[in-house]
Amino acid sequence: MNTQHRQVAVVTGASRGVGQGIALALGAAGMTVYITGRARGQGGSRLYGHALDGDLQATAQAISAVGGQGIAVTCDHGDDAQVQALFAQVERECGHLDLLVNNAAFIHDQLIEPGPFWAKPLELVRILDVGLRSAYVASYHAAPLLLRSRQGLVCFTSSFGAGCYMHGPAYGAQKAGCDKLAADMAIDFEGQGVAALSLWLGPQLTERTRVAGEQHGEQYKAFLADAETPQFNGRVIHALLNDPQLMSYSGQTLITAEIAGGYGISEAGGRQPPSHRGLLGDPRQQHPARVI
């Protein structure tokens, strides 16, 4: 396996949607990209009765087709042993890691339905297991490999739901938790050449949001008109990874739509997705106190 001259990334939860688009953008930048999903082929996920496409092996092949090196790894991020095995494979095959994108999360098909949390299935709370706890576990196993990189990055895909009410308390707690993981991991990584960041992504143009939009047309129509592609966010992540000033951002929660312009990144045709800061709020600023 020829990984000598490529940067190496792991993108969790990349069979479809946001993770898939981020992984494809990193591949187009020439990276070796390990992608994870619970099934190597079609995963069989459904939303409102619609089958959602998502093939881990096909995504790995697509990454290689655009100039990267895609490596599919079947991994259930609810199983710590499988996560450990994933990073053991990265160590054997590459010896180091440049980028971890913590994206895997359990998304229940009733997440965006109206109603209080107690009227929805208790299973929605699994986003705290696969989405928050799993991100900690992946970062734990990735850290020794990231420390061998010239400049490493742990990145969490978060959202404005970390700061405002969005889809209920389980979703909000998971996103806020990712922001806090990034802030505190950055302190532990200080002086080690590894940054930790949480990124607030805007509404994403994915198959899931398309299906959801068909069910909640007016509610989602305005948001989706200015939505981001996952590839847009992947290009932002790649630019951050290679920014000489990366360490100055470590520990922060950044809004990808706001920082993209500084890297010359836009959507097709030059469209610049808007920041929703004014509508949905600001990322929380962490207090500088440290209790060791």
Side-chain angles (χ1 to χ4, degrees):
M1 183 175 298
N2 182 17
T3 60
Q4 184 177 0
H5 302 297
R6 295 181 187 269
Q7 289 179 304
V8 181
V10 170
V11 182
T12 69
S15 295
R16 63 177 62 84
V18 172
Q20 181 185 64
I22 289 173
L24 286 169
L26 298 175
M31 295 187 71
T32 292
V33 188
Y34 288 80
I35 57 172
T36 70
R38 286 179 296 169
R40 196 168 187 84
Q42 286 283 348
S45 294
R46 303 183 70 85
L47 180 65
Y48 300 122
H50 295 262
L52 298 176
D53 292 334
D55 188 312
L56 194 67
Q57 186 60 43
T59 299
Q61 293 169 353
I63 291 167
S64 297
V66 296
Q69 183 176 23
I71 302 171
V73 181
T74 303
C75 180
D76 180 351
H77 283 271
D79 184 333
D80 292 355
Q82 292 188 37
V83 177
Q84 183 178 17
L86 161 69
F87 290 98
Q89 179 180 342
V90 175
E91 182 173 24
R92 286 195 310 271
E93 297 176 351
C94 300
H96 79 287
L97 182 66
D98 299 288
L99 170 65
L100 168 63
V101 180
N102 281 309
N103 175 73
F106 172 80
I107 302 296
H108 196 279
D109 61 6
Q110 292 191 36
L111 176 69
I112 62 174
E113 292 300 307
F117 72 91
W118 61 86
K120 298 180 182 181
L122 181 59
E123 192 180 20
L124 268 74
V125 78
R126 285 187 58 201
I127 196 172
L128 300 181
D129 297 317
V130 180
L132 183 58
R133 184 185 183 280
S134 63
Y136 182 99
V137 173
S139 301
Y140 177 89
H141 290 295
L145 300 177
L146 289 160
L147 291 171
R148 301 174 190 174
S149 175
R150 178 185 59 82
Q151 178 165 280
L153 173 61
V154 177
C155 183
F156 300 83
T157 58
S158 186
S159 87
F160 290 86
C164 70
Y165 183 92
M166 184 179 290
H167 307 323
Y171 180 86
Q174 187 261 331
K175 296 306 181 188
C178 284
D179 293 358
K180 182 61 170 165
L181 285 180
D184 289 357
M185 286 180 183
I187 292 174
D188 286 350
F189 278 130
E190 276 182 354
Q192 303 293 320
V194 178
L197 290 172
S198 192
L199 298 179
W200 280 12
L201 281 53
Q204 298 293 293
L205 291 171
T206 66
E207 185 181 14
R208 181 178 289 274
T209 58
R210 178 186 63 78
V211 173
E214 292 171 355
Q215 300 293 320
H216 306 274
E218 291 305 314
Q219 181 180 358
Y220 281 82
K221 186 176 181 180
F223 269 143
L224 293 181
D226 289 323
E228 304 161 3
T229 62
Q231 288 89 337
F232 169 85
N233 288 284
R235 291 161 60 206
V236 171
I237 292 170
H238 182 262
L240 282 165
L241 173 64
N242 292 284
D243 188 336
Q245 302 303 314
L246 172 62
M247 296 306 156
S248 68
Y249 300 129
S250 190
Q252 297 184 39
T253 296
L254 304 176
I255 298 171
T256 55
E258 293 181 355
I259 62 175
Y263 292 120
I265 296 171
S266 63
E267 295 281 14
R271 179 175 70 88
Q272 203 71 47
S275 168
H276 296 283
R277 181 192 292 265
L279 180 65
L280 299 177
D282 306 327
R284 180 184 178 188
Q285 298 299 312
Q286 301 292 324
H287 194 278
R290 298 184 182 187
V291 180
I292 306 299

